[in-house]
């Protein structure tokens, strides 16, 4: 699906969609507590993938993770804690995204793998012990082990060999675990997890509003309701970024804990006066697209000025953009960022493969039109 958006402002108020990050975690904890399948008022392809994998754990079918890295990295340790053998598959770019560090840590504690990429088969139940992982590759590895290790017979330690990045997402996991009665001791570079624990259903299980997807609306000046200012979601940093962006001149933004904000930050940077330096973004190379490359192409194709660096971007603010055609590279956040960029463009914007937005926000373009946007499917 390709979409053509006419230039122009959007305005109004919208309710935040439920947090995909929180929903993944709640669905897994709810399953481990023996709860009925969690019914959400809203879904996406990634959430559907987690739901399908949880059902497959009971049926013995292959766990199909779709294109959801969160699903795969959370469910892999859980499956290995519960079953003697499990196969996982993925689609699209997920089949080339890395799992080696997680697989290596699990190999040291009872699991074996036929390969370190999807599709893969894991054999041998996990054992309690020490799991050593780098903290700067994927926080989802740590979260997956935090879900799995309480189920093991003995105590385990998850030890970080490098400083943790995206710490807010691990804090989200810790909050969910606590709500389900799971105890974890957190140290400076480790998590100590007592074994033999039971997940206990809380009275209510409902995800927070999503700061990640709401950031696109906030960047366009939309009022978003249903967001928790005290959330552990790191992407609430968008509020401060928008304040800082109002001041002209050089702006340095460290995104090691907020990598998902980079596409929309690039749009904000293009609409301001001054140079914006997006730093510590190396992990964007292994997202749904190589997001350093695709963000740079997006801005330049729209008439802006972006320079790609090995671990970041430099964007010269031009105050507005011209318009043009952007290939989404099948990346949902590139689609949404381009749509928001159209609000500071002078000419129409065409997004190819705009259906990629279904991965996290299937109703994005419906909401865009409700807020006054004008678009056509072409």
């Amino acid at each position: 699906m390709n979409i053509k958006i006419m230039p122009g402002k959007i305005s109004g108020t919208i309710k935040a969609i439920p947090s995909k990050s929180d929903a993944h975690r709640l669905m897994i904890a709810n399953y481990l507590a023996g709860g009925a399948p969690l019914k959400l008022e809203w879904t996406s392809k990634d959430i559907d993938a987690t739901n399908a994998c949880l059902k497959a754990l009971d049926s013995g079918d292959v766990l199909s993770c779709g294109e959801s890295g969160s699903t795969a990295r959370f469910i892999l340790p859980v499956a290995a804690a519960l079953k003697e053998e499990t196969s996982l598959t993925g689609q699209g770019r997920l089949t080339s995204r890395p799992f080696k560090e997680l697989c290596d840590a699990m190999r040291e504690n009872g699991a074996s793998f036929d390969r370190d990429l999807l599709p893969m088969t894991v054999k041998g139940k996990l054992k309690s012990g020490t799991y050593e992982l780098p903290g700067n590759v994927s926080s989802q590895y740590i979260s997956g082990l935090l879900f799995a290790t309480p189920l093991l017979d003995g105590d385990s330690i998850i030890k970080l060999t490098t400083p943790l990045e995206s710490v807010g997402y691990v804090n989200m996991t810790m909050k969910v675990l606590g709500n389900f009665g799971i105890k974890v001791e957190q140290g400076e570079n480790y998590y100590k997890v007592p074994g033999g624990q039971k997940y206990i259903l809380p009275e209510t299980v409902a995800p927070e509003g999503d700061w990640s997807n709401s950031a696109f609306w906030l960047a366009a000046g939309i009022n978003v309701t249903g967001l928790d200012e005290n959330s552990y979601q790191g992407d609430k940093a968008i509020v401060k970024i928008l304040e800082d962006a109002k001041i002209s001149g050089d702006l340095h933004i460290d995104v090691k804990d907020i990598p998902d904000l980079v596409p929309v930050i690039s749009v904000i940077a293009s609409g301001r006066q001054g140079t914006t330096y997006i730093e510590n973004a190396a992990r964007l190379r292994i997202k749904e697209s190589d997001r350093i490359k695709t963000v740079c192409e997006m801005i330049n194709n729209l008439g802006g000025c972006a320079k790609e660096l090995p671990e970041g971007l430099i964007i010269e603010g031009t105050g507005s953009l011209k318009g043009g055609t952007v290939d989404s590279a099948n990346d949902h956040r590139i689609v949404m960022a381009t749509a928001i960029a159209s609000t500071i463009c002078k000419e129409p914007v065409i997004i190819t493969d705009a259906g990629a937005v279904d991965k996290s926000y299937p109703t994005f373009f419906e909401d865009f039109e409700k807020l006054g946007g004008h678009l056509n499917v072409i």
Side-chain angles (χ1 to χ4, degrees):
M1 177 179 72
N2 301 333
I3 283 181
K4 181 178 182 178
I5 306 177
M6 301 307 295
K9 301 294 183 182
I10 57 177
S11 62
T13 298
I14 195 166
K15 182 181 178 182
I17 63 172
S19 166
K20 180 167 69 80
S21 297
D22 201 25
H24 282 303
R25 290 161 169 80
L26 289 172
M27 291 171 71
I28 293 169
N30 182 75
Y31 170 85
L32 294 174
L38 195 59
K39 293 183 178 180
L40 302 172
E41 63 181 38
W42 181 94
T43 189
S44 67
K45 284 188 175 180
D46 280 9
I47 293 301
D48 290 343
T50 292
N51 187 47
C53 284
L54 293 174
K55 290 180 179 178
L57 281 175
D58 289 333
S59 66
D61 293 338
V62 171
L63 308 187
S64 179
C65 303
E67 297 185 40
S68 175
S70 299
T71 300
R73 291 170 180 149
F74 291 163
I75 212 73
L76 177 57
V78 171
L82 296 174
K83 303 172 73 68
E84 289 287 349
E85 181 175 339
T86 308
S87 294
L88 294 85
T89 64
Q91 298 176 350
R93 189 172 163 88
L94 182 58
T95 59
S96 62
R97 294 172 72 178
F99 286 80
K100 184 179 187 305
E101 292 84 358
L102 178 58
C103 293
D104 285 347
M106 293 172 62
R107 284 188 179 100
E108 293 296 319
N109 293 278
S112 65
F113 296 84
D114 59 342
R115 62 200 305 261
D116 293 338
L117 295 171
L118 297 182
M120 66 168 63
T121 296
V122 54
K123 296 181 180 180
K125 277 192 174 184
L126 282 186
K127 299 176 182 178
S128 57
T130 299
Y131 292 79
E132 291 193 357
L133 287 164
N136 62 342
V137 177
S138 175
S139 66
Q140 293 169 351
Y141 294 164
I142 291 94
S143 289
L145 289 171
L146 284 170
F147 281 118
T149 48
L151 305 171
L152 307 180
D153 290 337
D155 298 350
S156 297
I157 293 178
I158 302 169
K159 183 179 179 181
L160 306 182
T161 58
T162 61
L164 177 62
E165 296 184 4
S166 294
V167 63
Y169 287 104
V170 178
N171 288 340
M172 286 179 66
T173 301
M174 293 283 284
K175 179 183 177 183
V176 169
L177 291 171
N179 289 342
F180 280 79
I182 299 298
K183 300 185 185 313
V184 178
E185 177 188 335
Q186 182 176 358
E188 183 176 350
N189 65 343
Y190 69 87
Y191 297 85
K192 185 174 181 180
V193 187
Q197 297 191 65
K198 302 288 186 183
Y199 282 78
I200 301 169
L201 281 173
E203 291 185 6
T204 59
V205 183
E208 301 177 350
D210 190 354
W211 278 97
S212 296
N213 282 321
S214 295
F216 295 96
W217 303 129
L218 293 170
I222 301 300
N223 179 47
V224 183
T225 62
L227 293 171
D228 182 0
E229 294 181 357
N230 297 315
S231 171
Y232 284 117
Q233 295 178 56
D235 289 348
K236 68 180 182 180
I238 188 64
V239 175
K240 185 176 187 305
I241 290 169
L242 286 167
E243 287 296 321
D244 292 343
K246 293 177 182 178
I247 302 171
S248 60
D250 290 355
L251 177 60
H252 292 260
I253 304 177
D254 186 331
V255 298
K256 70 177 183 296
D257 291 328
I258 50 170
D260 287 342
L261 288 183
V262 169
V264 74
I265 288 173
S266 72
V267 176
I268 296 167
S270 296
R272 66 184 296 269
Q273 299 297 327
T275 304
T276 301
Y277 299 85
I278 299 173
E279 301 164 343
N280 289 321
R283 285 186 298 141
L284 289 175
R285 298 285 188 190
I286 56 171
K287 291 288 189 177
E288 284 82 348
S289 66
D290 176 344
R291 278 198 192 141
I292 292 180
K293 180 175 182 289
T294 52
V295 165
C296 188
E297 291 175 347
M298 172 185 69
I299 296 302
N300 291 333
N301 287 353
L302 294 175
C305 184
K307 179 181 179 182
E308 179 181 346
L309 301 175
E311 298 187 358
L313 292 155
I314 299 174
I315 299 176
E316 300 290 345
T318 51
S320 64
L321 294 168
K322 180 182 178 181
T325 299
V326 172
D327 179 1
S328 77
N330 196 37
D331 189 328
H332 56 134
R333 298 197 190 279
I334 298 298
V335 176
M336 291 185 281
T338 305
I340 297 305
S342 75
T343 67
I344 59 170
C345 285
K346 299 174 181 178
E347 298 177 9
V349 170
I350 294 174
I351 310 171
T352 63
D353 201 8
V357 77
D358 290 349
K359 187 175 194 295
S360 65
Y361 196 161
T363 61
F364 175 81
F365 284 112
E366 293 176 30
D367 290 344
F368 187 84
E369 289 186 297
K370 289 176 184 177
L371 294 166
H374 298 283
L375 57 87
N376 295 298
V377 177
I378 58 174

